[in-house]
Each structure stands twice: as C-alpha cells, then as structure tokens.
Amino acid sequence: MARPRKTVEERRDERAEQRYTLAELEHIRTQASRAGISPTDFIRRRALSQPIRAANVASPSPALISELNRIGVNLNQLARAVNRGRDMSGQWDELGQELARVLVQVAEQHGS
C-alpha cells in the first residue's frame, strides 16, 4: 500500500538557499547530530522556532547515580571538616581517585 499523498499545504516544494562558512556548517551538523536529526531538519526547526529535543541518550544506571551521590555526600563532609580547621588532605586524594573511577564508568556507558 502506498503512502497517502500530502495536501498542497504539507508539500515542501519551495526552496531557500543559504550559504555558510565551513565552521558554521560544521556547527550545524554537530548540533543536528546531537539532536538526532538531519541538518536540514535542524535548520528548519530553528528558523521556524520549533523545539529541538536532544536525542535519546541512555540514562546512567541507578547504581552509578547512587555512587555519584555517595561521592557528593563525602565531598560535602570533607569540605565541612576543612572549614572547621581539620587536615583532611589524605581523604581529598582518596575522594578524587574514587570520582575519577566513576567518571571513567560514565564515559564507558555513554561511549565517550
């Protein structure tokens, strides 16, 4: 079964030509790719003030979110202790290493 014909109002048979610098075109392509749409659709939506939603990106696992939350709590506790005059330099190094480990996991999950 064939696709139904578009009405006259739905047909895109008019053209508008624009010229871009290489940098501008690359920016448009990058933004379109991030949104998961073609550069043509990106330009059309921007010109018509239509919403451009980011492409569906996999959410981090609940375990990863929990680890990041735990690191944030530890960071807050260390900051409070330092503000009270305690020397927590060893704990800062440990927390930094833990954060680096979790960030590697995030990068692996999202293909970065």
Side-chain angles (χ1 to χ4, degrees), residues 2-20:
R3 182 173 59 106
R5 287 189 165 273
K6 291 184 176 185
T7 65
V8 174
E9 296 83 23
E10 292 176 316
R11 291 185 196 144
R12 290 188 176 133
D13 49 5
E14 297 298 322
R15 292 179 161 264
E17 186 177 331
Q18 291 86 37
R19 292 182 180 266
Y20 302 100

mmCIF file of all heavy atoms in Angstrom, residues 2-20:
data_model
loop_
_atom_site.group_PDB
_atom_site.id
_atom_site.type_symbol
_atom_site.label_atom_id
_atom_site.label_comp_id
_atom_site.label_asym_id
_atom_site.label_seq_id
_atom_site.Cartn_x
_atom_site.Cartn_y
_atom_site.Cartn_z
ATOM 1 N N ALA A 2 0.605 2.154 -0.848
ATOM 2 C CA ALA A 2 1.406 3.365 -0.998
ATOM 3 C C ALA A 2 1.083 4.375 0.100
ATOM 4 O O ALA A 2 0.018 4.347 0.706
ATOM 5 C CB ALA A 2 1.145 3.988 -2.363
ATOM 6 N N ARG A 3 2.046 5.236 0.317
ATOM 7 C CA ARG A 3 1.863 6.303 1.297
ATOM 8 C C ARG A 3 0.835 7.291 0.748
ATOM 9 O O ARG A 3 0.844 7.628 -0.432
ATOM 10 C CB ARG A 3 3.212 6.994 1.511
ATOM 11 C CG ARG A 3 3.197 8.096 2.537
ATOM 12 C CD ARG A 3 4.597 8.598 2.802
ATOM 13 N NE ARG A 3 5.243 9.098 1.607
ATOM 14 C CZ ARG A 3 5.442 10.398 1.367
ATOM 15 N NH1 ARG A 3 5.105 11.289 2.245
ATOM 16 N NH2 ARG A 3 6.013 10.787 0.254
ATOM 17 N N PRO A 4 -0.042 7.799 1.604
ATOM 18 C CA PRO A 4 -1.043 8.770 1.128
ATOM 19 C C PRO A 4 -0.376 10.059 0.651
ATOM 20 O O PRO A 4 0.656 10.476 1.184
ATOM 21 C CB PRO A 4 -1.919 9.046 2.352
ATOM 22 C CG PRO A 4 -1.392 8.233 3.458
ATOM 23 C CD PRO A 4 -0.193 7.487 3.003
ATOM 24 N N ARG A 5 -0.956 10.677 -0.328
ATOM 25 C CA ARG A 5 -0.424 11.929 -0.866
ATOM 26 C C ARG A 5 -0.576 13.045 0.161
ATOM 27 O O ARG A 5 -1.552 13.099 0.894
ATOM 28 C CB ARG A 5 -1.157 12.327 -2.129
ATOM 29 C CG ARG A 5 -0.807 11.497 -3.310
ATOM 30 C CD ARG A 5 -1.425 12.136 -4.562
ATOM 31 N NE ARG A 5 -0.867 11.600 -5.761
ATOM 32 C CZ ARG A 5 0.232 12.040 -6.356
ATOM 33 N NH1 ARG A 5 0.906 13.038 -5.832
ATOM 34 N NH2 ARG A 5 0.673 11.502 -7.468
ATOM 35 N N LYS A 6 0.404 13.932 0.184
ATOM 36 C CA LYS A 6 0.325 15.093 1.070
ATOM 37 C C LYS A 6 -0.591 16.131 0.452
ATOM 38 O O LYS A 6 -0.688 16.243 -0.772
ATOM 39 C CB LYS A 6 1.712 15.701 1.275
ATOM 40 C CG LYS A 6 2.627 14.821 2.097
ATOM 41 C CD LYS A 6 3.933 15.512 2.359
ATOM 42 C CE LYS A 6 4.791 14.650 3.269
ATOM 43 N NZ LYS A 6 6.014 15.334 3.639
ATOM 44 N N THR A 7 -1.204 16.909 1.320
ATOM 45 C CA THR A 7 -2.021 18.011 0.824
ATOM 46 C C THR A 7 -1.101 19.102 0.298
ATOM 47 O O THR A 7 0.101 19.109 0.575
ATOM 48 C CB THR A 7 -2.920 18.598 1.940
ATOM 49 O OG1 THR A 7 -2.077 19.177 2.922
ATOM 50 C CG2 THR A 7 -3.808 17.529 2.568
ATOM 51 N N VAL A 8 -1.652 20.044 -0.431
ATOM 52 C CA VAL A 8 -0.859 21.128 -1.002
ATOM 53 C C VAL A 8 -0.122 21.890 0.094
ATOM 54 O O VAL A 8 1.038 22.275 -0.059
ATOM 55 C CB VAL A 8 -1.771 22.081 -1.827
ATOM 56 C CG1 VAL A 8 -0.994 23.282 -2.307
ATOM 57 C CG2 VAL A 8 -2.409 21.337 -2.975
ATOM 58 N N GLU A 9 -0.765 22.097 1.248
ATOM 59 C CA GLU A 9 -0.140 22.838 2.351
ATOM 60 C C GLU A 9 1.007 22.061 2.988
ATOM 61 O O GLU A 9 1.885 22.645 3.606
ATOM 62 C CB GLU A 9 -1.174 23.170 3.433
ATOM 63 C CG GLU A 9 -2.285 24.089 2.993
ATOM 64 C CD GLU A 9 -3.418 23.342 2.281
ATOM 65 O OE1 GLU A 9 -3.585 22.120 2.486
ATOM 66 O OE2 GLU A 9 -4.131 23.979 1.500
ATOM 67 N N GLU A 10 0.993 20.733 2.898
ATOM 68 C CA GLU A 10 2.023 19.901 3.526
ATOM 69 C C GLU A 10 3.240 19.685 2.631
ATOM 70 O O GLU A 10 4.293 19.283 3.118
ATOM 71 C CB GLU A 10 1.443 18.536 3.885
ATOM 72 C CG GLU A 10 0.410 18.586 4.984
ATOM 73 C CD GLU A 10 -0.196 17.212 5.228
ATOM 74 O OE1 GLU A 10 -0.513 16.507 4.251
ATOM 75 O OE2 GLU A 10 -0.339 16.871 6.414
ATOM 76 N N ARG A 11 3.121 19.942 1.358
ATOM 77 C CA ARG A 11 4.218 19.687 0.430
ATOM 78 C C ARG A 11 5.327 20.711 0.608
ATOM 79 O O ARG A 11 5.092 21.897 0.729
ATOM 80 C CB ARG A 11 3.714 19.740 -1.014
ATOM 81 C CG ARG A 11 2.826 18.598 -1.342
ATOM 82 C CD ARG A 11 2.457 18.633 -2.814
ATOM 83 N NE ARG A 11 1.312 17.759 -3.012
ATOM 84 C CZ ARG A 11 0.338 17.990 -3.861
ATOM 85 N NH1 ARG A 11 0.354 19.063 -4.626
ATOM 86 N NH2 ARG A 11 -0.657 17.144 -3.962
ATOM 87 N N ARG A 12 6.530 20.198 0.588
ATOM 88 C CA ARG A 12 7.699 21.083 0.687
ATOM 89 C C ARG A 12 8.341 21.166 -0.690
ATOM 90 O O ARG A 12 9.301 20.472 -0.983
ATOM 91 C CB ARG A 12 8.694 20.535 1.703
ATOM 92 C CG ARG A 12 8.178 20.633 3.114
ATOM 93 C CD ARG A 12 9.269 20.250 4.092
ATOM 94 N NE ARG A 12 8.797 20.438 5.434
ATOM 95 C CZ ARG A 12 8.937 19.564 6.406
ATOM 96 N NH1 ARG A 12 9.569 18.436 6.186
ATOM 97 N NH2 ARG A 12 8.467 19.814 7.599
ATOM 98 N N ASP A 13 7.810 22.037 -1.510
ATOM 99 C CA ASP A 13 8.343 22.150 -2.856
ATOM 100 C C ASP A 13 8.966 23.514 -3.129
ATOM 101 O O ASP A 13 9.364 23.806 -4.245
ATOM 102 C CB ASP A 13 7.288 21.807 -3.901
ATOM 103 C CG ASP A 13 5.972 22.522 -3.686
ATOM 104 O OD1 ASP A 13 5.895 23.359 -2.780
ATOM 105 O OD2 ASP A 13 5.014 22.235 -4.429
ATOM 106 N N GLU A 14 9.068 24.335 -2.115
ATOM 107 C CA GLU A 14 9.744 25.629 -2.247
ATOM 108 C C GLU A 14 11.145 25.502 -1.667
ATOM 109 O O GLU A 14 11.364 24.782 -0.709
ATOM 110 C CB GLU A 14 8.973 26.727 -1.520
ATOM 111 C CG GLU A 14 7.582 26.977 -2.071
ATOM 112 C CD GLU A 14 7.601 27.456 -3.522
ATOM 113 O OE1 GLU A 14 8.506 28.251 -3.865
ATOM 114 O OE2 GLU A 14 6.721 27.030 -4.294
ATOM 115 N N ARG A 15 12.095 26.241 -2.216
ATOM 116 C CA ARG A 15 13.484 26.182 -1.761
ATOM 117 C C ARG A 15 13.951 27.560 -1.315
ATOM 118 O O ARG A 15 13.526 28.575 -1.849
ATOM 119 C CB ARG A 15 14.398 25.709 -2.890
ATOM 120 C CG ARG A 15 14.169 24.290 -3.271
ATOM 121 C CD ARG A 15 15.119 23.928 -4.421
ATOM 122 N NE ARG A 15 15.229 22.499 -4.508
ATOM 123 C CZ ARG A 15 16.194 21.770 -3.963
ATOM 124 N NH1 ARG A 15 17.157 22.358 -3.306
ATOM 125 N NH2 ARG A 15 16.201 20.477 -4.077
ATOM 126 N N ALA A 16 14.860 27.546 -0.353
ATOM 127 C CA ALA A 16 15.545 28.766 0.083
ATOM 128 C C ALA A 16 17.008 28.379 0.231
ATOM 129 O O ALA A 16 17.333 27.466 0.986
ATOM 130 C CB ALA A 16 14.973 29.266 1.394
ATOM 131 N N GLU A 17 17.862 29.042 -0.484
ATOM 132 C CA GLU A 17 19.279 28.691 -0.451
ATOM 133 C C GLU A 17 20.031 29.635 0.471
ATOM 134 O O GLU A 17 19.851 30.843 0.424
ATOM 135 C CB GLU A 17 19.867 28.771 -1.857
ATOM 136 C CG GLU A 17 21.289 28.289 -1.918
ATOM 137 C CD GLU A 17 21.834 28.308 -3.332
ATOM 138 O OE1 GLU A 17 21.068 28.166 -4.279
ATOM 139 O OE2 GLU A 17 23.057 28.488 -3.455
ATOM 140 N N GLN A 18 20.879 29.058 1.324
ATOM 141 C CA GLN A 18 21.739 29.837 2.196
ATOM 142 C C GLN A 18 23.170 29.372 1.986
ATOM 143 O O GLN A 18 23.417 28.236 1.613
ATOM 144 C CB GLN A 18 21.392 29.631 3.679
ATOM 145 C CG GLN A 18 20.083 30.203 4.113
ATOM 146 C CD GLN A 18 18.948 29.234 3.855
ATOM 147 O OE1 GLN A 18 19.104 28.041 4.007
ATOM 148 N NE2 GLN A 18 17.810 29.762 3.454
ATOM 149 N N ARG A 19 24.081 30.249 2.278
ATOM 150 C CA ARG A 19 25.499 29.892 2.209
ATOM 151 C C ARG A 19 26.073 30.031 3.613
ATOM 152 O O ARG A 19 25.729 30.931 4.356
ATOM 153 C CB ARG A 19 26.237 30.819 1.244
ATOM 154 C CG ARG A 19 25.798 30.596 -0.187
ATOM 155 C CD ARG A 19 26.592 31.505 -1.119
ATOM 156 N NE ARG A 19 26.183 31.292 -2.471
ATOM 157 C CZ ARG A 19 26.780 30.450 -3.318
ATOM 158 N NH1 ARG A 19 27.819 29.755 -2.922
ATOM 159 N NH2 ARG A 19 26.332 30.308 -4.540
ATOM 160 N N TYR A 20 26.949 29.081 3.949
ATOM 161 C CA TYR A 20 27.556 29.054 5.279
ATOM 162 C C TYR A 20 29.061 28.944 5.145
ATOM 163 O O TYR A 20 29.577 28.402 4.171
ATOM 164 C CB TYR A 20 27.053 27.828 6.074
ATOM 165 C CG TYR A 20 25.556 27.790 6.233
ATOM 166 C CD1 TYR A 20 24.765 26.992 5.418
ATOM 167 C CD2 TYR A 20 24.934 28.557 7.196
ATOM 168 C CE1 TYR A 20 23.393 26.962 5.570
ATOM 169 C CE2 TYR A 20 23.556 28.537 7.358
ATOM 170 C CZ TYR A 20 22.801 27.729 6.534
ATOM 171 O OH TYR A 20 21.447 27.702 6.685
#
